[in-house]
Amino acid sequence: MRFKILGNVQVEADGRTYTPSAAKIKTLLATLLSRPGRAVSTDQLVTELWGEDPPKSAHASLYVYVSQLRKELSRLSGSDIPLETRHPGYLLKTDHQSIDFHEFLRMHRSGTADFEGGNYSEALRTFDAALAAWREEAFSDAPRGPILCGMENRIRETRLSLIELRNEAEIRLGRYSKIIGELRALSEEHPFHETFQYQLMVALYKAERQVEALDVYHRTQSLLRDELGLDPGQLLQSMQKTILSGER
């Protein structure tokens, strides 16, 4: 049985796929998957599903949702029922290897090791395989409470760190022109993410497009000052000085 959270919440087994249609069951399953092999308390689940002011019927409704989810998982897995009642709540019996995000983490670590060892081509292959696992934003169809919001932030930051390393591998391989378009898109999607702005500046400068590289700096500088009252960080400032001095 394989669980997917990098997109809409899904369960796959023996060529069959289960995608919860009810919002509360999606959130229930996603919350249990955020803590694989660990019991999530009923109080935490109630807060995740209904917020800080749940209805009086919340615990009874939670029991119904758990029963419905257990029935679907049992149907997929055959005789084994991976959802257990375990004090102080419920536990989804699965290992990290069965969840797509944890496979993503494994590839992230493997690619990082290759990158740090100077094997940039192999790192790129691993990073691309990791990114291919993404279908949409994590838990894209599940309403989120505090547990899922925290997990979503962790997943998003992990993905961004992988993309940073992937970009750097391309730069180390001298593929400046190839990556400029992708870096422009990333810099526009994440205008306050200075690493992407820096990498775009590097790629443009190495591709003999100094004026465009400086324009990236000035646009970022204006945005940071206007929106946050801050100057660019040391990384961007150093890159600007390098361009102005003509260093290579």
Side-chain angles (χ1 to χ4, degrees):
M1 187 172 286
R2 181 165 176 76
F3 299 91
K4 295 185 175 183
I5 60 176
L6 300 180
N8 58 330
V9 183
Q10 292 183 341
V11 187
E12 294 180 346
D14 298 327
R16 293 174 293 175
T17 300
Y18 167 57
T19 304
S21 57
K24 289 287 193 290
I25 294 181
K26 291 175 188 176
T27 299
L28 170 62
L29 176 56
T31 304
L32 293 169
L33 286 171
S34 73
R35 298 183 176 180
R38 296 165 52 195
V40 184
S41 73
T42 54
D43 287 343
Q44 288 176 311
L45 289 169
V46 165
T47 299
E48 197 72 17
L49 269 63
W50 286 280
E52 297 295 335
D53 188 24
K56 293 181 179 179
S57 61
H59 281 80
S61 297
L62 173 61
Y63 178 81
V64 172
Y65 294 138
V66 169
S67 297
Q68 291 174 345
L69 178 57
R70 183 180 281 128
K71 179 180 178 181
E72 291 295 338
L73 295 179
S74 177
R75 179 182 63 82
L76 280 177
S77 64
S79 58
D80 183 39
I81 302 177
L83 178 53
E84 293 184 350
T85 301
R86 181 78 60 87
H87 181 79
Y90 299 96
L91 176 148
L92 189 62
K93 287 194 305 180
T94 187
D95 54 28
H96 289 73
Q97 289 74 26
S98 300
I99 303 172
D100 59 356
F101 173 58
H102 291 279
E103 176 63 12
F104 176 86
L105 288 177
R106 185 195 66 76
M107 289 190 283
H108 191 320
R109 290 190 294 268
S110 176
T112 299
D114 284 327
F115 179 89
E116 292 175 347
N119 192 350
Y120 304 124
S121 295
E122 186 60 31
L124 271 175
R125 283 190 286 271
T126 304
F127 291 150
D128 285 341
L131 291 170
W134 286 71
R135 294 163 291 132
E136 301 174 58
E137 288 296 313
F139 317 119
S140 62
D141 60 345
R144 298 158 183 75
I147 292 175
L148 289 189
C149 283
M151 185 68 175
E152 182 185 23
N153 288 334
R154 178 195 174 196
I155 292 172
R156 182 183 298 112
E157 290 301 319
T158 303
R159 182 174 184 268
L160 288 176
S161 72
L162 184 145
I163 292 172
E164 287 179 7
L165 278 177
R166 187 199 177 284
N167 295 341
E168 188 62 30
E170 292 271 29
I171 290 170
R172 298 283 181 91
L173 289 168
R175 300 174 182 175
Y176 313 122
S177 297
K178 176 180 179 294
I179 200 174
I180 285 172
E182 184 174 346
L183 283 170
R184 281 198 190 280
L186 285 168
S187 68
E188 291 171 6
E189 184 180 356
H190 305 278
F192 296 102
H193 196 96
E194 291 192 43
T195 301
F196 291 154
Q197 314 304 325
Y198 167 79
Q199 290 175 331
L200 177 57
M201 288 178 68
V202 170
L204 286 167
Y205 182 52
K206 294 291 187 179
E208 304 291 342
R209 295 162 66 172
Q210 294 93 326
V211 173
E212 292 175 74
L214 288 172
D215 184 57
V216 173
Y217 178 84
H218 292 307
R219 284 190 289 107
T220 304
Q221 181 184 54
S222 296
L223 179 68
L224 291 173
R225 285 179 175 176
D226 292 346
E227 298 293 331
L228 303 177
L230 298 173
D231 284 321
Q234 187 60 43
L235 196 64
L236 286 176
Q237 291 186 36
S238 295
M239 191 61 214
Q240 184 209 29
K241 291 177 182 177
T242 295
I243 296 170
L244 292 174
S245 67
E247 296 177 19
R248 286 293 170 184

